[in-house]
Amino acid sequence: MKMDVTINANNSRWRNIFHYGSSNSIRVPAMWIFPRNPWRFHFRMRTDRSNNDGVDFNIPSQFKRYNEPLHIRILYHVVENKSKMTFFVNEIENFDLKNFGSETL
């Protein structure tokens, strides 16, 4: 999954980037920008472990500039029968993320 996201300002509310599902509790998947922190993203999806599994990740400091597009890439793969998602911001990998679920999605 690839997308370009441009942060224009800080905001006191959650801001949705995308949300696939017919209600707020169905997140297959969904991603938001944190309130009061435009450089922190909240990614969630349903897995065998939880219907609200996911990770939060920060935008690397060198890319924290308003009104400039951020290229976000989410890569799904299976490692030793576990589903894993790797997040990239402007092709820089975020290494601090956990695996999703206990089995493949």
Side-chain angles (χ1 to χ4, degrees):
M1 176 183 314
K2 297 178 185 179
M3 70 206 80
D4 288 323
V5 177
T6 301
I7 306 297
N8 298 317
N10 200 354
N11 195 299
S12 62
R13 296 179 180 252
W14 286 98
R15 290 178 281 172
N16 183 261
I17 297 172
F18 62 85
H19 183 182
Y20 183 79
S22 58
S23 71
N24 192 40
S25 63
I26 299 174
R27 299 166 178 195
V28 193
M31 191 160 71
W32 294 266
I33 300 169
F34 267 78
R36 294 172 298 284
N37 185 352
W39 310 114
R40 187 159 176 81
F41 287 27
H42 184 72
F43 179 85
R44 291 294 180 263
M45 66 183 290
R46 179 182 304 265
T47 67
D48 60 330
R49 182 171 49 201
S50 168
N51 67 353
N52 194 34
D53 202 0
V55 297
D56 299 334
F57 65 97
N58 293 310
I59 301 301
S61 59
Q62 66 265 39
F63 303 126
K64 292 180 181 180
R65 290 186 293 272
Y66 290 120
N67 303 312
E68 291 192 19
L70 298 165
H71 181 68
I72 309 293
R73 183 166 57 104
I74 303 170
L75 179 64
Y76 168 81
H77 44 146
V78 177
V79 177
E80 296 177 3
N81 202 33
K82 292 204 182 243
S83 299
K84 183 177 180 184
M85 304 203 61
T86 307
F87 292 75
F88 297 84
V89 178
N90 294 345
E91 297 308 317
I92 303 295
E93 183 176 353
N94 189 328
F95 293 98
D96 272 339
L97 302 175
K98 66 180 179 179
N99 291 339
F100 286 86
S102 59
E103 299 175 11
T104 55
L105 300 173

